Amino acid sequence: MKLLQRPVVTGRALIIGVPWLWLSIFFLLPFLFVLKISISEPILAQPPYMDLLREFSDGLMTIKINLGNYLLLLEDPLYFNALLGSIEVAALSTLFCVLLGYPMAYAIARAPDHMRLPLLMLIILPFWTSFLIRVYAWIGILKNNGLLNQALMWLGIIDSPLEILHTPVAVYIGIVYSYLPFFVLPLYATLVRMDLTLLEAAADLGCRPWKQFVLVTLPLSLPGLMAGAMLVFIPVMGEFVIPDLLGGPNTLMIGKLMWTEFFSNKDWPLASALAAILLIVLIIPFVIMRHYEQRNEEANS
Amino acid sequence: MANTRSTTLDAPWQSPEEEPIVRIENLVKNFGSVYAVDDISLSIHRGEFFSLLGASGCGKTTLLRMLAGFETPSSGRIYIDGQDVTHVPPYERPVNMMFQSYALFPHMSVEDNIAFGLKQEGMPKAERAERVAEMMELVQIERFAKRKPHQLSGGQRQRVALARALAKHPKILLLDEPLGALDKKLREKTQFELVNIQERLGITFIVVTHDQEEAMTMSSRIALMHEGRLEQVDTPRHMYEFPSTRYAASFIGSVNLFHGYVARQQDDKLWIQSDDTGAELLVRHSQPLPTGAEVSVAIRPEKIRLIDQPTGSENEVQGVIKEIAYLGDVSIYHVDLPTGKRIQFTQPNIQALAEQPLTWEQSVTLSWLPNSCGVLTE
C-alpha cells in the first residue's frame, strides 16, 4: 500500500508546492521586506532607510528596531482619520455596488439562456480598456463643462454646471463604476446555480414572490453576495488612483496617504508601517469572505 | 402486483352525487403546437390515492403542475373542493406538493423546513412546534430535527419532503415521482408507508409516476396517460384485467396481442379469425361487434397454460420455445408460432430443480380460457 501511495503523495506535494512557492516569493517575501522597512529608521540616503543590521564590531551584532513609525501612526490623528476615511469610502462603495449590482446579477441569472452570455459580456466589456483610461474618461464626463453637465443643461434640468469633479461624489462614481463587475460576477455565479424548484416549493407553501425572494433567494445568494462585497471592499480600502484623479484635496484615504509618504516625503519606513497596518485591518473582511466561501462549498457538496 | 388496499375500501367514484375534491374540465396545455395536456376531463374524489401513470412526456407532470398552480392552463377549468382555482396562484391553493427533487431548503434545518409553510400561514409558535413534532414522528425523522438537508441520506430527505408537504394539512397532496430517487428495496418499503400515512390522515393523494408496479401497489385508481390524453381511468385490478386499449394493455404488465377480425358472435361468445395464430380464437365478450370488425385479442402471459397434448379445442396454439428468461419466482418463455408470431408465457418455478425442464427448441402446446382474454378495438 505504502509503495503504491508514494508517487501520488509526491505528485500532490508538487502541485500544492508550486503555488506555495509562488506566494512565498512574490507575496510573503515582499511583505517581510515591507515589515522590515517599517521598523527601521528613516535617513536621507538611497534607499531612504537605515539597515536593521548595524555596527558589526568586536564580534557584537546590534539590531536596532524602531517602533517610532507605529507610535507616530497611533499618535497623529491624521493617519487614524485616513483609515476611517478609507473604511467609510470602502463601505459606502460596497453598499452602492450591492444596491446596483444585485438587480443586475439577478436579471442576468434569470434571463433566457440565449441572452445570458451577451449580458455577461456587457459586464466584462469595460475590462478590455485600460483601467486608467476609463478613470480619465470620467474626468471628461464629470468636469464642469463635461458631457454630463452639458447634457443636463441642454435638457434644461439645471442652469449652471454641477460641481462634481474633485468632490467625494466623483470618487464614489469612479469606484462604484470600476468595481461593480467584481461584485456582479461572483453573485451571478451563485444566483445562476440556484435550484429554481426551491422557489416553487416556497410558493407552494404559501410564499408570495417577494417573500420567496427574502426567505429563499437572498439567504442562498449570501455567499456570492459576501464574496462580491469583499472583492470590492478589500481593494477599495487601499485604492489610490481613483481618489487621486477624481477626488479633491480633502479626500482622505489611506492609499493616497501612503503614496504621499512614499514619494513626496520619502519616508519609506512610515509608508511601510501604514501598509502593514492596512494589511492587518484587511484580515478581518478576508476572514469573513473565507467563512462564506466555506459555507458555499458546504452547501454545494 | 399485490394491491395493499383493503378490499372493503369504499369506491367514492361510484357515487355520482358526491362532489369530487378535484374536478378537471376540458383541460388543455399547449406550448406552441405541442400539446402537453390535450383536453382532459377527470374527477378525483375525497380520500383517494390517485395515480397519474404514463411514459415520460405523456403530460402527467404538466397536469400535476397545473393542479399545483405552477402552470397556467391554455384552456379548461380546474375546481378544487368546488372552488374554481384555474387562475389562483400556487400560494393561495389548498394543495401542497412533494417535489421529485424534494426541493428542501438547503439553508434550513429539517425542523425549519417542515415549519416553513406553517410560519407562512401565521400559525402560533407553540402550535407550530407541536405540528412539526407530530409530522416528524409520522415519518420517523425526529432524530434528524436539527440537521441540514445535505447531512441526510436520500431516503431521509424523501421523508422530510413528505413531512413538509403534509404539515399544512392540505386538502390534496401532490406527489411528483415520490419514490423515483430511492433504490428498489427502499422503494418497495416506502410504498406501503405512503399508503399507511395516506389512510391515517385521510388526505387525497395525487401521485405522478412512470412505474406501473408502483401505481398498481398504491393506488385506489389509476389514470393512464398517453400523448397528453387519458387512455384509461380505472382501479388497478380493472386496469390490468380489462384494459380498454392496446396501449393500456401493453403499458401495464406484459401482454400478447393477436390481430384479427370478428368472425361471428353468439350471446357472449365471440369468434375471431386471427392471422397471427392461423386459427379462430374464442373470447367471452358481451358487447355486440359487427362481423368483420378489426380487433385485437389480448392475453396476459401468466394466463397461458402449458398442456401435454393438443385436445383440438379452442384457443390452442403450438410453437417452439426460442428464448427463456429465468427470474427466480417465474420463468418467461418466448415461443414462435408457425405463422411467425412470437408470444410469451410465464410458468411459476414450483420445483427448485424440475426433472424435465422446458428447454430451447422444444415444441409446446399452449392454451387459455375464453374468459382470460379480452377484445380490444382501439
Side-chain angles (χ1 to χ4, degrees):
Chain A
M1 249 351 243
K2 238 181 186 163
L3 274 171
L4 278 174
Q5 271 175 1
R6 204 177 239 155
V8 179
V9 171
T10 355
R12 268 174 66 116
L14 194 71
I15 291 195
I16 297 170
V18 170
W20 268 102
L21 198 69
W22 181 275
L23 287 174
S24 303
I25 293 175
F26 294 107
F27 180 77
L28 191 62
L29 211 58
F31 178 68
L32 290 176
F33 282 141
V34 168
L35 215 56
K36 191 192 91 172
I37 296 172
S38 79
I39 51 172
S40 61
E41 266 181 83
I43 47 165
L44 279 172
Q46 196 62 257
Y49 62 92
M50 210 178 271
D51 220 338
L52 292 181
L53 273 171
R54 270 176 301 175
E55 294 171 36
F56 190 71
S57 59
D58 304 334
L60 216 76
M61 189 176 74
T62 322
I63 296 174
K64 264 203 175 174
I65 291 176
N66 174 22
L67 294 174
N69 300 314
Y70 288 94
L71 287 174
L72 181 68
L73 292 182
L74 288 176
E75 276 163 15
D76 194 336
L78 173 75
Y79 301 104
F80 186 66
N81 287 340
L83 185 67
L84 282 186
S86 277
I87 291 176
E88 189 193 332
V89 171
L92 274 177
S93 307
T94 307
L95 182 69
F96 291 138
C97 279
V98 171
L99 294 178
L100 214 68
Y102 201 107
M104 283 167 82
Y106 187 87
I108 300 172
R110 298 290 177 267
D113 284 352
H114 64 278
M115 285 299 294
R116 251 180 250 152
L117 200 63
L119 287 172
L120 269 182
M121 285 309 294
L122 287 178
I123 296 285
I124 300 166
L125 210 61
F127 287 122
W128 294 5
T129 313
S130 151
F131 167 71
L132 217 52
I133 290 173
R134 282 183 284 134
V135 177
Y136 271 113
W138 276 105
I139 297 176
I141 296 170
L142 297 176
K143 65 186 177 188
N144 281 5
N145 57 350
L147 282 174
L148 182 69
N149 276 316
Q150 277 177 11
L152 289 176
M153 288 206 291
W154 184 77
L155 286 168
I157 296 170
I158 51 167
D159 298 323
S160 55
L162 291 173
E163 192 112 0
I164 303 174
L165 194 64
H166 304 310
T167 67
V169 176
V171 176
Y172 282 115
I173 290 176
I175 288 177
V176 170
Y177 162 78
S178 304
Y179 285 93
L180 195 59
F182 296 103
F183 175 77
V184 170
L185 292 178
L187 181 60
Y188 162 81
T190 313
L191 283 171
V192 81
R193 269 199 320 243
M194 205 185 108
D195 177 8
L196 296 183
T197 349
L198 294 177
L199 295 179
E200 288 187 346
D204 186 66
L205 293 165
C207 278
R208 288 164 175 280
W210 171 244
K211 282 206 105 177
Q212 291 168 29
F213 175 78
V214 174
L215 295 176
V216 181
T217 310
L218 194 59
L220 285 177
S221 65
L222 216 50
L225 191 148
M226 289 312 285
M230 290 306 127
L231 282 181
V232 176
F233 186 87
I234 294 171
V236 171
M237 277 292 286
E239 182 60 49
F240 156 72
V241 175
I242 297 171
D244 192 54
L245 291 179
L246 302 180
N250 48 3
T251 314
L252 199 57
M253 285 183 74
I254 209 163
K256 217 176 149 185
L257 210 58
M258 239 187 278
W259 194 89
T260 313
E261 294 298 347
F262 199 88
F263 291 103
S264 305
N265 298 349
K266 292 273 186 239
D267 194 343
W268 287 21
L270 193 65
S272 302
L274 264 174
I277 284 186
L278 181 62
L279 191 96
I280 288 160
V281 170
L282 283 180
I283 286 174
I284 299 164
F286 192 75
V287 168
I288 297 176
M289 189 171 88
R290 276 304 301 157
H291 169 76
Y292 278 99
E293 263 177 16
Q294 254 161 18
R295 249 181 57 169
N296 201 15
E297 277 158 25
E298 248 176 50
N300 287 333
S301 66
Chain B
M1 308 258 168
N3 194 312
T4 61
R5 311 220 132 237
S6 47
T7 47
T8 55
L9 180 82
D10 50 339
W13 53 91
Q14 286 170 348
S15 32
E17 68 280 359
E18 197 214 356
E19 170 70 21
I21 188 118
V22 178
R23 193 148 49 83
I24 297 165
E25 287 178 357
N26 305 101
L27 203 65
V28 175
K29 178 69 184 182
N30 60 315
F31 303 94
S33 60
V34 181
Y35 282 76
V37 169
D38 191 0
D39 194 20
I40 281 184
S41 295
L42 181 65
S43 286
I44 297 167
H45 291 261
R46 236 168 278 270
E48 274 204 76
F49 196 121
F50 195 91
S51 291
L52 296 169
L53 175 66
S56 61
C58 73
K60 56 190 192 298
T61 300
T62 309
L63 180 57
L64 194 79
R65 289 175 59 80
M66 283 195 279
L67 287 172
F70 301 135
E71 308 273 358
T72 314
S74 306
S75 69
R77 305 257 119 210
I78 298 171
Y79 299 88
I80 290 174
D81 208 12
Q83 184 207 353
D84 185 348
V85 296
T86 316
H87 296 290
V88 173
Y91 45 86
E92 283 170 5
R93 292 193 185 203
V95 304
N96 282 124
M97 177 140 158
M98 183 181 151
F99 292 83
Q100 182 171 14
S101 63
Y102 307 145
L104 298 176
F105 303 122
H107 55 304
M108 295 182 199
S109 67
V110 165
E111 260 180 340
D112 291 342
N113 262 287
I114 299 172
F116 188 89
L118 303 173
K119 248 183 227 173
Q120 297 315 308
E121 60 176 27
M123 183 184 272
K125 210 174 173 190
E127 199 181 332
R128 206 164 68 209
E130 205 175 300
R131 180 75 67 85
V132 170
E134 187 188 312
M135 284 301 131
M136 287 197 291
E137 199 202 325
L138 183 73
V139 297
Q140 296 154 29
I141 46 166
E142 302 99 315
R143 282 175 297 151
F144 312 117
K146 305 283 178 209
R147 290 210 194 158
K148 292 276 181 67
H150 73 264
Q151 296 166 312
L152 300 176
S153 73
Q156 289 157 355
R157 275 182 225 179
Q158 192 256 6
R159 283 157 186 277
V160 178
L162 181 64
R164 187 180 70 175
L166 282 171
K168 286 178 82 177
H169 286 176
K171 285 180 180 165
I172 302 163
L173 183 71
L174 307 170
L175 302 97
D176 189 2
E177 301 275 3
L179 311 175
L182 306 181
D183 61 65
K184 194 170 186 295
K185 265 274 184 288
L186 191 58
R187 197 158 65 219
E188 279 167 9
K189 182 171 157 257
T190 315
Q191 282 174 4
F192 289 91
E193 276 182 14
L194 264 184
V195 172
N196 286 336
I197 287 172
Q198 190 264 338
E199 282 181 346
R200 251 173 79 185
L201 298 177
I203 293 173
T204 309
F205 276 31
I206 303 178
V207 182
V208 153
T209 177
H210 67 276
D211 184 331
Q212 45 117 349
E213 213 167 308
E214 197 174 290
M216 298 284 280
T217 312
M218 301 192 296
S219 317
S220 59
R221 280 195 304 158
I222 298 171
L224 179 64
M225 286 181 70
H226 180 47
E227 290 175 352
R229 290 173 169 274
L230 286 180
E231 198 76 20
Q232 188 173 358
V233 182
D234 232 324
T235 60
R237 181 176 284 264
H238 263 83
M239 187 79 96
Y240 186 78
E241 301 295 352
F242 308 106
S244 60
T245 65
R246 291 184 191 98
Y247 183 81
S250 49
F251 191 87
I252 310 236
S254 306
V255 72
N256 296 302
L257 290 173
F258 298 111
H259 180 257
Y261 301 92
V262 173
R264 63 209 137 89
Q265 193 169 20
Q266 192 181 21
D267 301 328
D268 63 346
K269 285 180 178 170
L270 181 72
W271 282 270
I272 288 148
Q273 182 60 44
S274 170
D275 33 4
D276 278 336
T277 58
E280 275 192 352
L281 299 174
L282 175 62
V283 185
R284 257 193 224 292
H285 192 79
S286 47
Q287 267 101 43
L289 282 172
T291 306
E294 192 176 352
V295 294
S296 290
V297 175
I299 176 82
R300 299 281 182 196
E302 76 278 6
K303 294 188 170 64
I304 296 178
R305 293 172 306 163
L306 184 70
I307 52 177
D308 300 333
Q309 292 289 320
T311 61
S313 62
E314 276 100 358
N315 298 342
E316 271 185 21
V317 292
Q318 278 178 304
V320 179
I321 293 175
K322 287 293 179 188
E323 309 271 9
I324 301 174
Y326 172 78
L327 300 185
D329 51 350
V330 293
S331 290
I332 303 173
Y333 301 90
H334 288 211
V335 175
D336 275 358
L337 304 184
T339 56
K341 171 81 177 171
R342 177 165 286 197
I343 66 168
Q344 48 174 304
F345 76 102
T346 56
Q347 287 279 99
N349 292 316
I350 295 163
Q351 289 170 293
L353 281 170
E355 280 169 26
Q356 282 185 305
L358 292 170
T359 182
W360 287 269
E361 300 300 331
Q362 185 178 339
S363 289
V364 288
T365 306
L366 303 172
S367 152
W368 59 88
L369 298 169
N371 56 7
S372 290
C373 50
V375 177
L376 303 172
T377 54
E378 283 175 48

